[in-house]
Amino acid sequence: MTQEWWRDAVVYQVYVRSFADSNGDGEGDLQGVRSRLPYLADLGVDAIWLNPFYTSPLADGGYDVADYRAVDPRFGTLEDAAELIRDAHTHGLRVIVDIVPNHSSDQHAWFRDGLRDRYVYRPGRGENGELPPNDWESVFGGPAWTRTAEGDWYLHLFAPEQPDLNWENPDVHAEFLDILRFWLDLGVDGFRIDVAHGMVKAAGLPDVGHPDQNEMLGEEPLPYFDQDGVHDIYRTWREVLDSYPGDRMAVAEAWAPNAERTALYVRPDELHQAFNFHFLKAKWTAPAFRTVIDDMLSTGAPATWVLSNHDVTRHVTRYGGGETGWRRARAAALLMLALPGSTYVYQGEELGLPEVLDLPDEVLQDPKWERSGHTDRGRDGCRVPLPWTSTGPSLGFSTGPGWLPQPEDWAKLSAAEQQTSPESMLSLYRAVLRLRRMLSFGDFEWLELPPDVLGFRRGAFHCVVNLGAEPVRLTEVGRVLVSSSRYGSDGILPPDTALWWA
Ligand code: GLC
């Protein structure tokens, strides 16, 4: 039996609103994605994950879903979705869609119609119920509760426009099983599960008793995240996935305190993968990466690796920006793509896009900006539309301006510019993705190297990364396959450089 496709797949994350605009309204759409399938197939990825494109007021970029079975008109139609899935398959690309089960939009029919038992309502504290039911904080800042006209409160771990669903209600369970079937019937190959660690809350909704809960996210147990009860939900989801032919899968966005807790989501009767955010958070040092890689691999669970996504600062910028960030991003790509398991690539990282740090205040849309009292600029800087060409009002993204402005110097980062340059980030990604498909890998084993250097072998295949400030001399290098920066025949590996050999 061949192994399941997702185990070592490279999945390209498409932030639909910012990928490609087919109708000139300044926002990306499903037909835009469809028009760029040849680019993605040529890049050499195995699958695409589409961020939410469902009917939504976009209070949180589409993670506030008003109708889980319909496409928002700004992104197209259900027929467009079906066509995109079909065409992707023709190009040899699998399709993963996002599912948002922790909360709906406040414009969802259930919330609007006042079906209160499907959400989490509680009386307030204080003499007249004027204080929130507990001390939980929204991930976007401020209390996680909003008071209703009736005087009680509803829970929203994110924005007030995103009321948390009540997973103690069997109707909610049944509804989501049906939504899964709806998209599976349309032909999707899998799901990315939003806030997969959130649906079940600790009994009695106890206080956290800590002044800054957002500091604790993903680090320590919280009464509203990573509760054991979520696993029962995924066992039932797995049954649905397994009842369809063709290796359908699900990947959890689960921010659990450690690798062991994360691994629980991928037990054989639960989900197939969970994102490994500890890799993304690792500082640019050899020991930091070695620790997170060891932690991941030692769980024995299917591994995933990710450097960027639509919620975090792009890694060119995280790694120092400018020349340094660019060099490190190239080296990090070689490291990530050499590891056993599957990889998630965020749109634009193959172009080496940096975070846009100077978006004007008035264009910011991320709810974090408002909810933090204008102290956190939020995540719009990693969601700026892609530059496809070096000219045009939005560099080929749309026929007019895009919904967020692109920096002027992005013309030289456009896909068209990079396509023909062998030194470009795009050429590196394409070359490495091709190589990865051709190589055969053996068992993972660390190489013993100087402290600033990280290296491992997988059979005859070797990957070595110099994360230090000094060049290092390598001995016993075999046939060089690719290097992220210049590697001469002198055996010297420069700083911030990765090398593959076999
Ligand atoms: C996830 C999404 C993020 C969204 C949040 C609330 O973390 O990735 O974009 O804001 O969930 O749905």
Side-chain angles (χ1 to χ4, degrees), residues 13 15 49 51-52 60-64 98 100 102-103 139-140 158-159 162 192-195 197 253 255 309-311 366-368 379 383:
Q13 180 190 349
Y15 195 76
W49 148 33
N51 281 110
D60 180 24
Y63 283 97
D64 46 324
D98 227 300
V100 190
N102 180 68
H103 43 265
V139 174
F140 294 155
F158 294 87
Q162 294 167 295
R192 177 266 188 191
I193 304 167
D194 188 62
V195 198
H197 55 311
E253 184 213 18
W255 295 79
N309 63 37
H310 66 293
D311 290 328
D366 186 350
K368 276 191 177 177
R379 303 160 292 176
R383 300 173 178 178

Side-chain angles (χ1 to χ4, degrees), residues 329-338 428 432 463 482-484 498-500:
R330 291 173 66 91
L334 260 64
L335 168 62
M336 173 167 75
L337 288 161
L428 181 74
V432 168
C463 173
V482 63
S483 62
S484 64
L499 180 71
W500 284 12

